[in-house]
Amino acid sequence: MLYIELPAPYTIRKLSFYLAMEEYVARRVQAEDCFFMWQVAPSVIFGRNQQLESEVNVEYCRQHHIQLYRRKSGGGCVYADESNVMLSYVTSGEQVDLAFHRFVSMMLLVFRKMGIEAATTSHNDILIEGNKVCGTACYHLPGKSIVHSTMLFDTNMEHMSHAITPSKDKLESKGIQSVRQRITLLKNYTSLGLEEVKMLIKNTLCHDTMTLLANDVAEIENIESNYLREEFIHLL
C-alpha cells in the first residue's frame, strides 16, 4: 500500500483540508490502495445525515474553540484533537463493505503487533476489552471507496464528553449511559508513545511513500473550499 505524505514543512491543517485530501487522493493518485494519517486541533466531525443540534453541544464547542465539520460519510459524531490519530484509507473498487473489511482487518493486524487483542463489531468499530478505540465511516466515489477512522490514543475526555451529546434514548439503545462509558484509550494498553504507534502503523501497512507537491496541495485547498460551505462547516 502507498503512504501519502504532505511536503515539508508540514503543519497541522484544519480538518476540512484532510477531508479534501481524501478526495484528491481518490480522484488523482493512481494506486490501488493509499493510506495516510493526520491530526487536528480540537474538532467535532458529524455524519452527513445527522442533525447538529441533536448530537453536539454547540455552545460548549463555541466556548472552548472546538470547530464543527460535516463529513460526506454517514455514522455518528467524532471528537478529535492532537492527541489522537485520524486514519484515511482509499481503495479501488465499488464495494464499500469490502473496503470496510480490508481496513478493519489491517488495523487488527496492527493491534496484534502491539500485543493487543482487539475485536470488531457489525458497525466496523474496533474494540479493546469491549470498549471502542477506533470508530470508522466510509463513502463511495466513482471507482473508489474512502474509509476514515479515529484512533483514540489519548484525547481530552472532558471535551469529548461535553461536546458530543446524543440523546438519552440513543445512548440507552446501545446499553450505555454516557459517551465516555463506551470508549477506551490506546495509551492504556501499550508502552509505545503516539509517534511510535504512528510509525508502527505506517511500517506495517505501507511499503512505499509518495510525497505530494506544492501544486497537489493547492488542488487540495481548492477542494477544501467545498467543505467550508455552510452545509459542511459550523463556524464558531
Side-chain angles (χ1 to χ4, degrees):
M1 184 156 59
L2 182 65
Y3 188 81
I4 309 295
E5 65 180 14
L6 291 168
Y10 169 73
T11 57
I12 289 179
R13 301 274 193 137
K14 291 181 179 180
L15 192 148
S16 52
F17 176 88
Y18 301 104
L19 297 179
M21 184 172 166
E22 290 176 336
E23 284 200 42
Y24 179 80
V25 170
R27 298 182 190 278
R28 298 294 300 273
V29 176
Q30 300 301 311
E32 187 76 16
D33 294 287
C34 298
F35 178 78
F36 63 94
M37 293 177 281
W38 41 285
Q39 291 160 273
V40 290
S43 305
V44 168
I45 178 173
F46 50 102
R48 65 170 178 260
N49 298 317
Q50 288 188 298
Q51 296 296 318
L52 175 65
E53 292 77 9
S54 300
E55 303 285 342
V56 179
N57 185 334
V58 175
E59 183 57 32
Y60 180 88
C61 292
R62 179 179 292 112
Q63 292 174 1
H64 293 85
H65 309 290
I66 300 170
Q67 291 290 302
L68 307 178
Y69 298 87
R70 186 183 297 278
R71 62 182 185 267
K72 293 184 178 180
S73 58
C77 284
V78 173
Y79 171 81
D81 58 29
E82 300 94 329
S83 297
N84 56 31
V85 183
M86 310 298 283
L87 313 169
S88 294
Y89 171 55
V90 180
T91 184
S92 299
E94 302 291 335
Q95 298 183 39
V96 171
D97 288 345
L98 181 57
F100 262 133
H101 177 74
R102 285 176 176 170
F103 175 78
V104 170
S105 296
M106 289 188 294
M107 293 310 302
L108 292 177
L109 172 62
V110 170
F111 284 115
R112 285 197 295 274
K113 284 203 168 187
M114 284 190 277
I116 299 170
E117 285 301 318
T120 187
T121 71
S122 59
H123 297 290
N124 298 295
D125 294 332
I126 298 175
L127 311 179
I128 299 176
E129 297 182 351
N131 296 309
K132 183 162 73 171
V133 71
C134 287
T136 61
C138 184
Y139 73 102
H140 183 257
L141 293 175
K144 296 282 187 175
S145 292
I146 297 173
V147 180
H148 32 218
S149 177
T150 304
M151 174 180 281
L152 295 172
F153 178 83
D154 192 7
T155 196
N156 187 320
M157 297 294 290
E158 194 73 14
H159 281 349
M160 177 179 288
S161 59
H162 285 89
I164 300 177
T165 54
S167 68
K168 182 179 179 181
D169 289 344
K170 185 173 182 179
L171 289 172
E172 289 180 348
S173 71
K174 299 178 182 293
I176 57 176
Q177 295 180 332
S178 69
V179 171
R180 181 178 294 198
Q181 183 183 354
R182 67 186 298 229
I183 68 166
T184 192
L185 300 176
L186 180 57
K187 71 171 186 176
N188 297 330
Y189 300 90
T190 180
S191 61
L192 299 177
L194 177 56
E195 293 303 316
E196 292 173 304
V197 169
K198 289 167 61 179
M199 186 60 66
L200 175 64
I201 296 171
K202 180 180 177 181
N203 290 342
T204 300
L205 303 185
C206 302
H207 303 288
D208 203 359
T209 299
M210 173 184 175
T211 303
L212 298 179
L213 303 176
N215 61 303
D216 298 312
V217 174
E219 289 196 45
I220 293 170
E221 290 169 342
N222 286 335
I223 299 172
E224 182 185 13
S225 63
N226 294 322
Y227 285 95
L228 299 178
R229 300 199 312 267
E230 183 177 357
E231 63 265 37
F232 282 102
I233 185 171
H234 189 97
L235 290 172
L236 303 174

